[in-house]
Amino acid sequence: MEKMKILVTGAAGFIGSATAAALARRGHTVTGIDNINSYYDPRLKLSRLRRDGIPLSSSWPETSAIPAAGTFREEVRFPDVPYALPLKSTSIPGLTFMRLDIADREALADLREEGDFDIIINLAAQAGVRYSLENPYSYVESNLTGFVNLLEFAREAGCRHFIYASSSSVYGANAKVPFSEEDVADSPVSLYAATKRSDELIASAYTSLYRIPLTGLRFFTVYGPWGRPDMAPMLFSEAILARREISLFNNGDMSRDFTYIDDIVEGIVRVAESEVETGERNAIYNIGRGEPTQLRVFVSALERALGRKAICREAEMQPGDVKRTWADTAKLRRDFGYCPSISIEEGTRRLAAWLLSTRLSQPE
């Protein structure tokens, strides 16, 4: 296997941190960047970096425990945290982290000092469907401006392959299941989804204009240890442990293609390490478990894993939400041998074990 120089954006995030570490452990030279914003508690992002041996300064907030799910979107003020200072992992050879914002063109210029990259994997984004109703500008800055900045960076650097995160949300309220890459995806029901679909169209234009090979991955609901605290798996788990009420939207009549983090990372690594012909290539793939799970079934699995009953309340559908997601992963399996293997029972068991070992929530 050829060893490559890889840039991973969103490298303090849930998927980004796991991907950067996995690629470095496989012998690649990986530079991870992240702006470490405060959409959710930045201490969780710092904890992920410390987990991977990034030697953060004592001026960065310490974490004696992983922040609870209820702290997402709380403002945590940083001391004077330097930007663009390369920090080499002390435990994973080949892994370096830099605090950079992809929406800042001048900041990205600092990356040129690190040399050119064979592959760019863009996992940075302003995430969350509901938050886009509150702060639409952050989605434009990160998901659109930042995306174009990275494409320009890739074009100037002669990047061999640009891989980027799209989302299952581009399918909108599609009634046909499972969702296929061939389905029309031109009716997003949230601003977040609209920015992700826009990225796919921009990518197509860059491939045609500059012959940059691009691969978009439409992620379905990803969960597991170190997961995002604003997403249902972590919110449900936290509520169960704290004996708080869980809101089941659309009166519980919802399902998601829950996919364990290790399966997602394995899929990204397969795409990154595969040979891709240069030229006009703009491919889009679903990446999920390929099997929908009702919310009530997922909650039941969490109850068994955590050893505690949930307190559930039915609620109305939220603006921007969709009733179900379900990935057709045949294309990714055919082209890259992708085969997710972690069941819901096993995934929730691993999540619960991590939550309990880190004491994310203090049981009563």
Side-chain angles (χ1 to χ4, degrees):
M1 180 185 64
E2 177 190 3
K3 305 304 181 185
M4 296 175 289
K5 188 172 183 181
I6 302 174
L7 174 66
V8 177
T9 73
F14 178 32
I15 301 174
S17 63
T19 299
L23 288 165
R25 287 192 176 101
R26 292 177 64 82
H28 302 292
T29 300
V30 179
T31 297
I33 64 173
D34 199 296
N35 67 353
I36 314 183
N37 65 28
S38 57
Y39 166 63
Y40 59 82
D41 193 330
R43 290 173 296 179
L44 176 55
K45 302 175 186 183
L46 301 184
S47 293
R48 295 183 186 122
L49 294 174
R50 288 193 173 98
R51 172 200 63 190
D52 295 333
I54 301 300
L56 302 181
S57 157
S58 59
S59 66
W60 296 59
E62 290 288 344
T63 51
S64 57
I66 308 302
T71 63
F72 79 96
R73 267 192 278 142
E74 284 187 2
E75 291 292 333
V76 175
R77 294 193 176 276
F78 283 99
D80 184 18
V81 180
Y83 279 81
L85 176 65
L87 301 170
K88 294 186 180 299
S89 171
T90 58
S91 60
I92 306 177
L95 178 62
T96 300
F97 176 79
M98 299 172 68
R99 189 184 183 199
L100 288 177
D101 190 338
I102 62 171
D104 186 338
R105 279 188 294 170
E106 293 182 3
L108 278 176
D110 292 322
L111 275 179
R112 297 313 300 269
E113 297 181 9
E114 300 295 306
D116 292 340
F117 294 92
D118 299 309
I119 295 178
I120 294 175
I121 304 177
N122 180 34
L123 302 175
Q126 176 57 64
V129 171
R130 296 184 189 112
Y131 186 54
S132 65
L133 303 175
E134 302 173 27
N135 190 1
Y137 297 107
S138 65
Y139 290 78
V140 173
E141 291 165 5
S142 180
N143 301 2
L144 296 179
T145 301
F147 188 69
V148 171
N149 287 347
L150 283 172
L151 285 172
E152 281 295 296
F153 182 88
R155 180 176 68 85
E156 294 169 2
C159 174
R160 294 183 348 208
H161 190 189
F162 188 106
I163 302 166
Y164 64 95
S166 185
S167 169
S168 63
S169 64
V170 302
Y171 291 108
N174 190 0
K176 172 187 166 292
V177 291
F179 297 165
S180 166
E181 297 90 345
E182 305 305 316
D183 295 342
V184 175
D186 293 333
S187 300
V189 296
S190 70
L191 177 61
Y192 170 70
T195 61
K196 286 300 185 179
R197 180 60 180 141
S198 297
D199 285 348
E200 294 178 350
L201 297 174
I202 293 169
S204 179
Y206 264 75
T207 292
S208 297
L209 288 168
Y210 306 115
R211 298 178 63 80
I212 303 173
L214 285 108
T215 300
L217 298 174
R218 289 175 175 171
F219 290 100
F220 284 67
T221 306
V222 187
Y223 74 100
W226 303 91
R228 272 176 40 200
D230 61 316
M231 293 184 66
M234 202 66 75
L235 288 169
F236 288 171
S237 300
E238 176 79 4
I240 291 170
L241 285 172
R243 300 187 189 277
R244 292 198 306 266
E245 194 174 67
I246 292 174
S247 294
L248 297 180
F249 295 111
N250 199 39
N251 299 316
D253 185 18
M254 296 180 76
S255 60
R256 292 289 181 267
D257 196 331
F258 292 104
T259 313
Y260 191 72
I261 180 64
D262 290 5
D263 283 333
I264 290 291
V265 171
E266 190 260 347
I268 297 171
V269 169
R270 281 180 177 270
V271 174
E273 292 183 343
S274 296
E275 289 292 331
V276 175
E277 294 183 6
T278 58
E280 268 187 57
R281 177 194 181 281
N282 179 44
I284 292 175
Y285 295 89
N286 290 331
I287 182 166
R289 186 163 174 266
E291 190 175 310
T293 301
Q294 283 282 338
L295 287 190
R296 293 185 186 279
V297 172
F298 190 81
V299 170
S300 294
L302 285 173
E303 289 176 325
R304 290 190 292 275
L306 292 166
R308 182 169 292 186
K309 294 295 291 183
I311 304 169
C312 298
R313 176 183 68 87
E314 294 185 351
E316 294 181 358
M317 192 79 162
Q318 296 290 289
D321 260 353
V322 296
K323 184 176 178 180
R324 59 184 171 180
T325 63
W326 180 358
D328 180 345
T329 60
K331 184 178 176 183
L332 192 64
R333 183 169 61 250
R334 179 197 69 202
D335 291 356
F336 299 102
Y338 173 72
C339 186
S341 61
I342 308 300
S343 67
I344 295 297
E345 288 293 328
E346 175 63 16
T348 52
R349 186 195 66 77
R350 293 185 188 184
L351 172 59
W354 175 78
L355 286 168
L356 295 171
S357 68
T358 56
R359 304 186 69 82
L360 177 64
S361 245
Q362 296 296 325
E364 295 175 1

